[in-house]
């Protein structure tokens, strides 16, 4: 399956969870099922690898009561749905930190809940998904949200600037100049998000279980590395 993971898939995931919790398997252990968080530099193929990782995990366990599900852009929709918030709030929830001035102005105008409240809702939903397992969370500080959860494997994808520019040109039809600008802006935004919300350096390898330079490996090879890492952590 190559198309983008949809909110309909997320709803199916939740429905499967409810059914599995209502009808637990005989002899099942209390240990939480595995989950994965993905942090990525712009152009390091985080989405395409995440999609293939979901496909591989589903293929490994076709009879699983809860299918592995990728939460990428659709995570915002899941958060809004969890907390009965209007979908119009999605534009206020970028994978970035909005300035305090923008946040204050919007709160005064009553346009939406405080940005801090939206952030708290996001963390709450992500923690719940990590505990439930069989999910792949992309971005939004998932590695810090899942810190200390033994069922979660936290990975980060990085790459050289030239290779990431090439990826953006090939995958999105950008000019090299536009791709370079996009990568610089996006990387800075993600660094700012982590610094603002978690007081940490997104590039510190100690915040991850596995850091992979995607310059040197195909999507399929990276998927296999992550699968081995997940299996090894589950065996501990």
């Amino acid at each position: 399956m190559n198309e983008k993971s949809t909110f309909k898939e997320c709803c199916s995931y939740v429905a499967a969870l409810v059914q599995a919790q209502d009808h637990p398997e005989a002899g099942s252990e209390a240990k939480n099922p595995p989950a994965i968080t993905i942090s990525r530099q712009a152009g390091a193929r985080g989405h395409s690898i995440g999609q293939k990782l979901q496909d591989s995990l589903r293929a490994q366990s076709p009879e699983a009561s809860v299918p592995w599900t990728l939460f990428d852009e659709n995570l915002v929709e899941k958060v809004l749905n969890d907390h009965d918030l209007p979908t119009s709030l999605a534009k206020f929830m970028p994978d970035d930190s909005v300035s305090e001035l923008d946040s204050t102005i919007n709160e005064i105008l009553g346009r939406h809940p405080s940005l801090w409240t939206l952030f708290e809702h996001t963390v709450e939903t992500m923690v719940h998904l990590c505990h439930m397992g069989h999910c792949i969370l992309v971005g939004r500080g998932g590695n810090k949200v899942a810190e200390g959860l033994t069922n979660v494997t936290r990975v980060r994808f990085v790459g050289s600037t030239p290779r990431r520019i090439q990826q953006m040109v090939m995958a999105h039809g950008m000019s090299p100049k536009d791709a370079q600008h996009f990568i610089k802006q996006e990387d800075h935004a993600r660094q700012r998000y982590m610094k603002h919300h978690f007081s940490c350096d997104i590039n510190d390898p100690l915040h991850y279980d596995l850091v992979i330079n995607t310059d040197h490996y195909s999507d399929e090879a990276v998927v296999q590395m992550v699968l081995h890492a997940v299996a090894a952590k589950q065996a501990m």
Side-chain angles (χ1 to χ4, degrees), residues 143 191 194-195 198-205 207-208:
N143 60 302
Q191 290 169 6
M194 296 300 290
K195 185 69 174 178
F198 298 100
S199 300
C200 74
D201 179 4
I202 195 172
N203 295 310
D204 186 343
H207 294 313
Y208 310 95

Side-chain angles (χ1 to χ4, degrees), residues 27-42:
S28 59
E29 298 181 5
K31 185 177 180 181
N32 292 333
I36 300 166
T37 66
I38 293 177
S39 171
R40 73 285 186 227
Q41 289 185 318

Side-chain angles (χ1 to χ4, degrees), residues 142-158:
N143 60 302
K144 293 298 291 182
V145 172
E147 197 168 53
L149 299 180
T150 58
N151 66 311
V152 182
T153 301
R154 304 170 301 156
V155 302
R156 178 162 170 79
F157 303 140
V158 300

Side-chain angles (χ1 to χ4, degrees), residues 161-174:
T161 299
R163 290 297 292 272
R164 292 191 288 134
I165 290 174
Q166 182 183 38
Q167 170 64 18
M168 298 307 296
V169 170
M170 292 175 58
H172 301 285
M174 294 183 177

Side-chain angles (χ1 to χ4, degrees), residues 97-215:
S97 60
V98 180
S99 74
E100 293 299 324
L101 177 61
D102 288 342
S103 177
T104 301
I105 289 173
N106 279 298
E107 286 181 54
I108 291 173
L109 295 177
R111 290 179 180 169
H112 56 85
S114 74
L115 294 177
W116 182 255
T117 298
L118 291 176
F119 168 70
E120 289 181 320
H121 287 338
T122 301
V123 170
E124 182 180 333
T125 292
M126 293 175 76
V127 169
H128 180 69
L129 291 171
C130 285
H131 277 296
M132 294 300 97
H134 284 193
C135 63
I136 304 166
L137 305 182
V138 180
R140 299 184 181 278
N143 60 302
K144 293 298 291 182
V145 172
E147 197 168 53
L149 299 180
T150 58
N151 66 311
V152 182
T153 301
R154 304 170 301 156
V155 302
R156 178 162 170 79
F157 303 140
V158 300
S160 66
T161 299
R163 290 297 292 272
R164 292 191 288 134
I165 290 174
Q166 182 183 38
Q167 170 64 18
M168 298 307 296
V169 170
M170 292 175 58
H172 301 285
M174 294 183 177
S175 69
K177 182 177 180 180
D178 286 344
Q180 183 174 21
H181 177 73
F182 175 83
I183 285 171
K184 182 177 180 180
Q185 293 295 108
E186 196 72 8
D187 283 349
H188 181 64
R190 293 171 185 173
Q191 290 169 6
R192 190 166 63 243
Y193 185 90
M194 296 300 290
K195 185 69 174 178
H196 179 75
H197 289 299
F198 298 100
S199 300
C200 74
D201 179 4
I202 195 172
N203 295 310
D204 186 343
L206 294 179
H207 294 313
Y208 310 95
D209 299 307
L210 182 67
V211 180
I212 302 175
N213 183 342
T214 60
D215 281 7

